[in-house]
Amino acid sequence: MLDLLSVENLSVRFHDQKVLRNINASFKKNKITAIIGPSGCGKSTLLKTLNTLLMEDHEANIEGKILFDNENIDKIEKEKIRQKIGMVFQNPVPFPLSIYKNMEYALKYYGVKKDERKMIIEEKLKVTGLYEEVKDSLNKSALKLSGGQQQRLCIARALSIEPEILLLDEPCSSLDVKNTKNIEHMLLALKDQYTIIIVTHNLFQASRIADETLFMLDGEVIEFDLTENIFNHPKEQRTKEYVMGIYG
Amino acid sequence: MPEGSTSGFLRRREKVNIYKIIDKLFLYLIRFVSMISVLLLVFIVIFILKESLLTFEEVSFYDFVFKKGWRPISENPELGILPMILSTLYVSILALGIALPLGVGSSIFLSCMVNEKNRNFIKPIIDLMAGIPSVVYGFMGLLLIVKFFERKLSFSSGESILAASILLAIMILPYIISTCDESMIKILKKYESTSKALGVSKYHMIRYLILPTAKKGILASVVLGLSRGMGETMAVMMVIGNSPLYPKLFGKGQTIPGLIALEMGGASVNSIHYHALFASGLILMMMLMIINVLFYFIRKMMGTVSEE
Amino acid sequence: MKHLSIKLWSIISISLVMIIISCIFGFLFIHGYEGISYEFFIKEPNGMPLGSEGGVYNAIIGSICFTGIATIFSFVFALSIATYLVFYEKNEKIKSFIRFIIGIIAGVPSIVLGLFGYSFLVVYLKIGISILTGGIVLGIMIFPFMEIRFEKTLLEVDINLIYASLSMGVNRTYTFFKIILPICYKDMIRATCLSASFAMGATAPILLTGAVYYADIPNSIFSPAMALPLHLYLLISEGISLKNAYATALVLIVLLLLINSIPTVLDMIGGNKIVRFIKRRKS
């Protein structure tokens, strides 16, 4: 199995505070990898680093190597990396535009023609199951959608530019059970086309959808293995305690 | 690779992206404009400094600041602006003394004692006060305050330090109110429910929670009011009488901005008079800076209780 | 008892403030209204001494010219510096230096700026007393205020929106024009109008840089002009005409109110007609 994205000796510091220590991990193509761990352990920071968004934060000091398709991402243009590695945030962040314009936003930037845009937008909205719900009100403000719809719109928007990897930062933390289920189903369906890395607080969610699971604690990778092994036969004591709910 | 009707559309169009070019151009443009404006601002500061410092080749800094006597165009020019400095301080501090109790009282009313609807009605009216030009204030001051002094209190001349202070107090009121009100609202939002849960009355809360906690906001309004007041030109100039005397409550006086405004037109460029006007401007700015630094330290010393 | 005193204090304060405000406006409107006629707007100052008769037509035009130049000048610089500081400059030292300089300029009293304008622009550069000079000095005066407001508006934009945009490989400029500007432009218009009204009401900076006792309608930006605040000042200080002074003050106040109502009016129109128009065209 091919490693599409891998991280070597990655450390991140904010001033004197080390947020990530010496992370080594590689993420397999067309698999869902879940990153779990208690809050403040650096999961979200890791995700932001993978998408190079952390470089926008001038206070962050990043060391180590990130390889995308065996190429160091320092050598690739930031914009190109971000196009290949899409990201969805914890709280839905639709732009204050219409639904259609939200979808169109990045496509226009990449110079996609009008009819092609329309095709892509329909396709991606269908993938996220949103199309049936909003097809008559594409010009409605995206802010008027419900939370779950907004998050699915954000996923569709991230998919609109055909990334190869999709990063999700606790996408379901502000959603109800039904919407969470929706999104989980969708992610499983998307697995064939995309490589998915999802940060989650919800251990059951990780065990339901992830092929592999990475457990982090205090900015370090404690254990990274098949999901089944992490939950049923953890090698590390700390992993065992966490998945059993002793802390976190 | 994802297979589908739309895959690969990005690779086909990777070569030229107009937005990348625009990004570069825009960055250069605003960097250029920003650089120019910063240079311009630095230049203004340097220019004022340079023109003022030439004064001190003729007269010592000490004499300029601590001596009385303003005869800039005589054979042996006398350049001492102590009366103006004192008047400027006198007028603005007195104005602050009048405006602060009124301002703090009004902001208590605005932040704690009215509902949202009435507040949204009163607040814009007070903000409107800040928008009245200073000449109009001066005009009103002449007609209302000065005339009142002359007619009702039978002063020989109503133009006085007191008249200027009252007028200035009215002018800085909206600034004081909005600064205090802002910090009180912030505190109220933060603690209101906690305080209510303790069952204390609203006035108890105002007295023991809001007023002490808002003191930094009040201090900020003091600095703002003083800065505004000391730099105010037209309104004060119109009601103060403009005589370079030591300030007395009912006597005439002259502030530094008034001095500059009145004599700027008559001073020939590069004369000692002209440089002295710049120097008085510089002294005014230094006074403002000293006040700001002073209050900065007071603020720091006030300890840990704050609205932030 | 203690509580009663606080209650009394605040109620007396607010009543006093409201009385002062109504006195000022009442006085202005009642007396100003008597002096205002149609002629007052379209006639130039007349009579002996000048200004005792006639109107304020030139002063209105002059004031609008000064304000216009000041606003454009200040807007360009304020917007680019604010944008640059918030979105493009990464070096914290440069940022704090620029903010420090802007802070200093904000602290310079307007009369000192006028003095600077007079000696540098009028005398050294020999531009002369003109609308351009006066406008630039007014522009410098309102620049720090405008810049600080712009920066505040830009910083209030939810950082996650920016991250969401950047995470799709879109660059900053595209994000700025497509997302940030549409969110901020209303507040920016509001700040601009407020600054413009400050510029229009200011007298000290244009005393010797742009405004003169009497001038025709300006025919270029290099000619001097009259301005409402200075005209008002002269009418009072020379004791020319109390009636016209009231009327001039009222005209000035009304102009300022008009400028300040521009954002609200735009809001009202924008909320209905323009948006509906765009929607109709799109669908």
Side-chain angles (χ1 to χ4, degrees):
Chain A
M1 191 62 75
L2 198 74
D3 293 341
L4 191 54
L5 187 68
S6 55
V7 178
E8 289 176 13
N9 301 323
L10 181 74
S11 294
V12 173
R13 270 188 298 127
F14 288 99
H15 301 299
D16 301 333
Q17 199 190 357
K18 261 199 162 178
V19 185
L20 294 181
R21 303 157 200 262
N22 226 2
I23 304 273
N24 284 292
S26 49
F27 302 97
K28 295 200 171 60
K29 198 170 169 177
N30 294 357
K31 295 275 177 211
I32 297 180
T33 308
I35 302 179
I36 58 171
S39 28
C41 70
K43 296 170 299 193
S44 298
T45 310
L46 175 60
L47 221 54
K48 272 190 179 170
T49 322
L50 294 180
N51 172 275
T52 70
L53 257 190
L54 204 67
M55 289 180 189
E56 302 294 335
D57 194 337
H58 318 307
E59 278 157 18
N61 191 325
I62 307 166
E63 286 163 27
K65 258 201 297 195
I66 301 173
L67 299 174
F68 175 76
D69 235 351
N70 290 323
E71 203 178 341
N72 193 329
I73 62 165
D74 289 346
K75 304 255 156 53
I76 318 172
E77 237 185 313
K78 257 191 291 184
E79 272 85 30
K80 207 164 167 187
I81 281 295
R82 290 180 190 156
Q83 184 257 305
K84 302 260 192 205
I85 307 180
M87 182 154 180
V88 175
F89 297 84
Q90 182 168 6
N91 293 311
V93 271
F95 300 136
L97 305 168
S98 71
I99 298 170
Y100 195 81
K101 284 207 169 156
N102 259 282
M103 294 296 297
E104 212 179 30
Y105 178 76
L107 292 172
K108 263 191 175 168
Y109 175 80
Y110 288 106
V112 181
K113 291 250 163 52
K114 199 178 169 191
D115 4 320
E116 213 171 348
R117 282 204 301 261
K118 199 167 175 221
M119 231 163 64
I120 297 167
I121 291 171
E122 265 178 35
E123 186 189 311
K124 300 303 169 194
L125 285 176
K126 274 177 190 158
V127 167
T128 51
L130 202 59
Y131 188 70
E132 288 303 317
E133 293 165 43
V134 300
K135 67 178 172 194
D136 299 322
S137 51
L138 287 172
N139 288 321
K140 207 170 79 172
S141 166
L143 300 175
K144 291 202 177 122
L145 294 174
S146 73
Q149 286 175 322
Q150 284 188 0
Q151 193 62 297
R152 278 185 285 154
L153 177 69
C154 290
I155 296 173
R157 192 177 65 192
L159 294 178
S160 70
I161 48 169
E162 291 292 342
E164 295 180 29
I165 301 177
L166 188 61
L167 309 175
L168 300 113
D169 186 0
E170 303 196 28
C172 304
S173 66
S174 57
L175 304 183
D176 60 16
V177 183
K178 190 169 152 263
N179 275 304
T180 304
K181 210 171 156 193
N182 255 337
I183 288 181
E184 282 177 16
H185 275 297
M186 180 177 82
L187 290 180
L188 287 171
L190 287 173
K191 200 165 90 167
D192 298 336
Q193 286 182 41
Y194 305 96
T195 303
I196 295 170
I197 303 174
I198 178 169
V199 164
T200 177
H201 222 85
N202 182 336
L203 294 176
F204 299 106
Q205 185 172 54
S207 66
R208 275 196 300 267
I209 61 172
D211 298 297
E212 294 198 329
T213 297
L214 187 157
F215 172 57
M216 279 177 77
L217 192 63
D218 291 334
E220 279 178 282
V221 176
I222 304 298
E223 200 169 345
F224 187 16
D225 207 337
L226 292 175
T227 302
E228 199 200 86
N229 292 346
I230 290 275
F231 282 93
N232 299 332
H233 323 284
K235 293 192 190 75
E236 287 272 337
Q237 183 63 24
R238 283 174 291 181
T239 316
K240 194 174 171 185
E241 285 170 4
Y242 182 71
V243 298
M244 285 168 65
I246 292 178
Y247 62 83
Chain B
M1 276 303 109
E3 294 298 325
S5 58
T6 58
S7 71
F9 66 88
L10 286 178
R11 251 161 292 135
R12 269 182 271 134
R13 288 171 220 280
E14 256 161 24
K15 275 178 197 153
V16 189
N17 187 335
I18 181 102
Y19 295 109
K20 280 187 186 157
I21 303 166
I22 294 176
D23 183 50
K24 283 260 152 55
L25 288 179
F26 184 70
L27 177 56
Y28 287 135
L29 179 76
I30 67 165
R31 183 175 278 165
F32 178 70
V33 177
S34 303
M35 239 164 63
I36 288 184
S37 48
V38 170
L39 287 179
L40 198 74
L41 299 183
V42 172
F43 174 76
I44 294 172
V45 175
I46 291 175
F47 187 90
I48 294 172
L49 268 178
K50 195 201 103 207
E51 295 289 305
S52 341
L53 292 180
L54 286 173
T55 315
F56 303 118
E57 288 175 2
E58 305 275 334
V59 54
S60 75
F61 182 79
Y62 181 84
D63 287 352
F64 189 71
V65 177
F66 293 108
K67 284 233 166 101
K68 188 195 166 189
W70 179 256
R71 255 179 248 113
I73 31 181
S74 71
E75 285 285 306
N76 297 310
E78 263 188 83
L79 297 167
I81 58 165
L82 184 60
M84 289 77 146
I85 294 178
L86 292 179
S87 299
T88 309
L89 285 174
Y90 198 130
V91 171
S92 15
I93 292 173
L94 187 58
L96 190 73
I98 301 169
L100 197 62
L102 279 181
V104 175
S106 307
S107 33
I108 291 177
F109 183 84
L110 273 180
S111 56
C112 309
M113 289 165 65
V114 285
N115 57 23
E116 192 80 359
K117 203 177 141 203
N118 288 335
R119 186 187 143 77
N120 287 342
F121 173 72
I122 301 175
K123 195 78 209 310
I125 297 180
I126 290 175
D127 288 340
L128 213 58
M129 265 177 101
I132 300 178
S134 54
V135 207
V136 176
Y137 272 118
F139 182 38
M140 292 286 113
L142 268 180
L143 287 169
L144 298 175
I145 302 170
V146 173
K147 281 273 150 57
F148 177 78
F149 281 176
E150 285 173 3
R151 290 205 186 128
K152 298 277 150 65
L153 305 180
S154 48
F155 285 11
S156 56
S157 158
E159 294 178 334
S160 59
I161 298 269
L162 181 61
S165 305
I166 295 174
L167 184 61
L168 201 55
I170 295 173
M171 291 179 71
I172 61 178
L173 254 176
Y175 296 101
I176 291 179
I177 294 178
S178 65
T179 315
C180 291
D181 174 62
E182 207 172 284
S183 76
M184 285 179 189
I185 284 276
K186 232 190 255 168
I187 297 162
L188 193 73
K189 280 206 176 122
K190 200 167 163 190
Y191 298 114
E192 194 179 21
S193 46
T194 326
S195 181
K196 267 188 187 155
L198 289 171
V200 297
S201 80
K202 192 194 244 170
Y203 297 102
H204 188 89
M205 180 179 79
I206 293 172
R207 170 72 184 82
Y208 292 104
L209 180 71
I210 295 194
L211 275 180
T213 329
K215 61 186 175 186
K216 277 194 181 180
I218 296 173
L219 199 67
S221 79
V222 168
V223 178
L224 187 66
L226 271 184
S227 314
R228 289 271 156 186
M230 285 167 66
E232 177 49 48
T233 314
M234 299 306 288
V236 172
M237 188 172 106
M238 286 162 84
V239 297
I240 202 172
N242 297 312
S243 335
L245 307 169
Y246 282 117
K248 269 191 242 98
L249 190 57
F250 300 111
K252 294 186 175 183
Q254 183 167 36
T255 60
I256 294 178
L259 173 79
I260 301 173
L262 278 177
E263 303 196 356
M264 180 163 77
S268 51
V269 174
N270 279 329
S271 66
I272 179 71
H273 186 192
Y274 162 88
H275 289 305
L277 290 181
F278 261 107
S280 8
L282 183 71
I283 299 289
L284 180 61
M285 285 164 66
M286 281 167 60
M287 284 157 65
L288 289 174
M289 214 176 273
I290 290 170
I291 286 176
N292 271 289
V293 171
L294 205 70
F295 278 99
Y296 174 77
F297 282 111
I298 296 178
R299 211 186 134 99
K300 255 190 155 176
M301 272 171 10
M302 280 202 329
T304 48
V305 184
S306 76
E307 70 263 35
E308 269 99 28
Chain C
M1 275 321 282
K2 225 187 264 163
H3 299 160
L4 187 67
S5 64
I6 286 181
K7 194 173 180 179
L8 270 179
W9 170 29
S10 61
I11 288 177
I12 291 175
S13 310
I14 194 83
S15 326
L16 258 174
V17 173
M18 295 320 270
I19 289 172
I20 292 171
I21 297 174
S22 26
C23 262
I24 295 175
F25 280 100
F27 219 67
L28 262 180
F29 277 94
I30 291 166
H31 289 275
Y33 188 73
E34 291 167 7
I36 284 198
S37 59
Y38 177 61
E39 264 89 57
F40 193 71
F41 288 99
I42 55 153
K43 279 209 172 146
E44 304 186 354
N46 244 323
M48 204 58 212
L50 197 67
S52 55
E53 287 165 36
V56 286
Y57 179 58
N58 332 21
I60 294 178
I61 300 293
S63 268
I64 291 173
C65 293
F66 281 123
T67 311
I69 290 190
T71 311
I72 293 168
F73 177 81
S74 162
F75 180 82
V76 170
F77 286 111
L79 183 60
S80 65
I81 278 211
T83 314
Y84 186 68
L85 281 181
V86 175
F87 293 110
Y88 293 93
E89 182 54 61
K90 294 176 184 172
N91 189 327
E92 285 300 326
K93 276 186 187 147
I94 294 178
K95 273 194 203 174
S96 36
F97 172 72
I98 295 179
R99 290 197 176 118
F100 173 69
I101 289 287
I102 292 170
I104 289 186
I105 294 295
V108 178
S110 60
I111 184 67
V112 178
L113 286 180
L115 192 58
F116 162 79
Y118 173 63
S119 48
F120 182 67
L121 298 172
V122 176
V123 178
Y124 281 101
L125 292 186
K126 299 196 173 63
I127 303 176
I129 294 180
S130 64
I131 295 185
L132 183 66
T133 326
I136 290 176
V137 176
L138 286 175
I140 298 171
M141 182 188 84
I142 57 176
F143 166 80
F145 177 78
M146 226 176 186
E147 199 277 339
I148 290 165
R149 289 286 290 257
F150 282 179
E151 218 182 300
K152 204 176 151 214
T153 312
L154 291 175
L155 283 171
E156 272 169 10
V157 176
D158 183 3
I159 186 91
N160 286 319
L161 279 178
I162 299 165
Y163 279 159
S165 172
L166 293 180
S167 78
M168 286 193 283
V170 166
N171 63 36
R172 275 164 186 271
T173 307
Y174 190 79
T175 311
F176 177 71
F177 281 105
K178 298 277 174 166
I179 304 283
I180 295 160
L181 218 49
I183 295 177
C184 294
Y185 81 102
K186 273 185 189 165
D187 283 340
M188 286 181 169
I189 292 176
R190 195 160 287 132
T192 308
C193 288
L194 202 56
S195 319
S197 68
F198 283 160
M200 184 172 271
T203 320
I206 52 170
L207 267 181
L208 279 165
T209 57
V212 288
Y213 179 34
Y214 177 80
D216 279 326
I217 302 293
N219 45 21
S220 82
I221 53 168
F222 295 107
S223 50
M226 290 175 71
L228 282 170
L230 184 67
H231 186 66
L232 173 60
Y233 174 64
L234 291 171
L235 287 182
I236 306 159
S237 61
E238 310 286 322
I240 295 171
S241 161
L242 203 58
K243 192 182 116 196
N244 277 359
Y246 275 121
T248 310
L250 185 60
V251 171
L252 181 56
I253 294 277
V254 170
L255 260 181
L256 296 182
L257 289 180
L258 279 181
I259 292 181
N260 273 312
S261 64
I262 290 176
T264 321
V265 173
L266 280 182
D267 246 23
M268 265 153 51
I269 303 171
N272 303 313
K273 281 189 193 144
I274 294 181
V275 171
R276 241 184 281 144
F277 172 72
I278 293 172
K279 270 186 187 159
R280 214 180 303 137
R281 215 189 42 166
K282 283 276 156 63
S283 56

